[in-house]
Amino acid sequence: QKEVEQDPGPLSVPEGAIVSLNCTYSNSAFQYFMWYRQYSRKGPELLMYTYSSGNKEDGRFTAQVDKSSKYISLFIRDSQPSDSATYLCAMSDGGSQGNLIFGKGTKLSVKP
Amino acid sequence: NAGVMQNPRHLVRRRGQEARLRCSPMKGHSHVYWYRQLPEEGLKFMVYLQKENIIDESGMPKERFSAEFPKEGPSILRIQQVVRGDSAAYFCASSPDSGLEQFFGPGTRLTVL
């Protein structure tokens, strides 16, 4: 079983839709959870950073962490064509400090 | 404030040659991380460095790969005697402290012929 599982998609939605992106993980020691957005042939861009369980909202983006289920989600409200990208989840137990474990990414396409 | 800079953006090498990838962290950041992204794969951690020190190299292949972050100048990821399997995108990230908010550069795409 891989440490972090993420459905690669592709996921295609109409403009204005609510998008739900998810990752599951197996290591119960993970405490820090991030979502990155990566446009084609670009570097990942940090979107959301959360610690432990709970919700965090930033504009149209909401990150949720459910440690009991080992499940994290990113919701995008009122999706726009400019949101079309690959979304990567990443997590860490904080111990080694540098070692982020990434999912493979979900490719999202928002159609106008 | 300039972001993380990497050069070259694209690098072509023949099998057996050496590849040198450079990373300049964001201003004020003293922590550098290198990741590799293979086609259809996620980002894989390679090495974590602070100025003049390797903190964690658990993801680095034991042979042919080395990394440094000198007191002056950029961090360097060096791959000796490249093979076709080294073809990938190599990303550098930096952070201001040992926290986990890492900011990524645009990457260097290495192609080994």
Side-chain angles (χ1 to χ4, degrees):
Chain A
Q1 182 187 12
K2 293 189 176 174
E3 278 199 287
V4 180
E5 300 272 9
Q6 185 175 10
D7 186 337
L11 179 62
S12 183
V13 302
E15 184 175 354
I18 296 174
V19 176
S20 172
L21 303 165
N22 312 292
C23 287
T24 58
Y25 61 94
S26 57
N27 188 346
S28 57
F30 287 151
Q31 299 184 70
Y32 301 88
F33 305 92
M34 302 100 195
W35 285 96
Y36 284 84
R37 176 173 63 195
Q38 187 176 23
Y39 292 112
S40 181
R41 305 192 70 79
K42 302 287 186 186
E45 171 192 0
L46 180 63
L47 279 178
M48 301 287 280
Y49 171 90
T50 53
Y51 169 71
S52 195
S53 284
N55 293 1
K56 184 174 183 179
E57 188 173 321
D58 184 1
R60 296 185 295 111
F61 298 90
T62 300
Q64 285 186 354
V65 175
D66 182 351
K67 289 190 69 181
S68 62
S69 302
K70 298 192 182 69
Y71 188 88
I72 68 171
S73 300
L74 178 70
F75 297 96
I76 308 174
R77 291 184 298 280
D78 187 25
S79 56
Q80 303 294 311
S82 59
D83 294 328
S84 298
T86 296
Y87 289 80
L88 306 165
C89 64
M91 46 199 80
S92 173
D93 60 10
S96 59
Q97 298 179 346
N99 195 353
L100 291 182
I101 309 298
F102 280 85
K104 287 190 177 183
T106 299
K107 189 169 184 178
L108 171 67
S109 176
V110 181
K111 303 294 186 186
Chain B
N1 187 13
V4 178
M5 293 192 289
Q6 290 187 250
N7 66 82
R9 295 292 307 276
H10 301 274
L11 183 61
V12 179
R13 285 288 178 265
R14 296 191 181 279
R15 280 180 296 170
Q17 291 184 321
E18 179 179 288
R20 279 187 178 235
L21 288 62
R22 294 175 190 78
C23 169
S24 296
M26 288 178 70
K27 188 176 180 181
H29 289 194
S30 59
H31 300 249
V32 166
Y33 315 82
W34 285 94
Y35 292 83
R36 178 165 62 178
Q37 189 174 40
L38 292 165
E40 308 303 322
E41 294 288 327
L43 285 155
K44 302 293 184 188
F45 169 80
M46 299 181 74
V47 63
Y48 163 35
L49 310 103
Q50 293 179 34
K51 285 286 187 181
E52 300 184 276
N53 288 304
I54 296 175
I55 307 302
D56 180 357
E57 57 182 345
S58 58
M60 192 97 97
K62 294 289 185 278
E63 297 179 352
R64 302 188 298 108
F65 285 73
S66 62
E68 62 177 10
F69 189 15
K71 188 175 180 181
E72 300 291 336
S75 175
I76 307 284
L77 179 67
R78 183 183 177 203
I79 311 172
Q80 295 178 291
Q81 299 175 339
V82 295
V83 300
R84 288 212 173 114
D86 296 333
S87 295
Y90 291 83
F91 290 96
C92 166
S94 73
S95 66
D97 50 32
S98 58
L100 295 162
E101 290 184 87
Q102 298 179 16
F103 299 87
F104 282 77
T108 293
R109 279 161 182 80
L110 172 66
T111 301
V112 180
L113 303 176

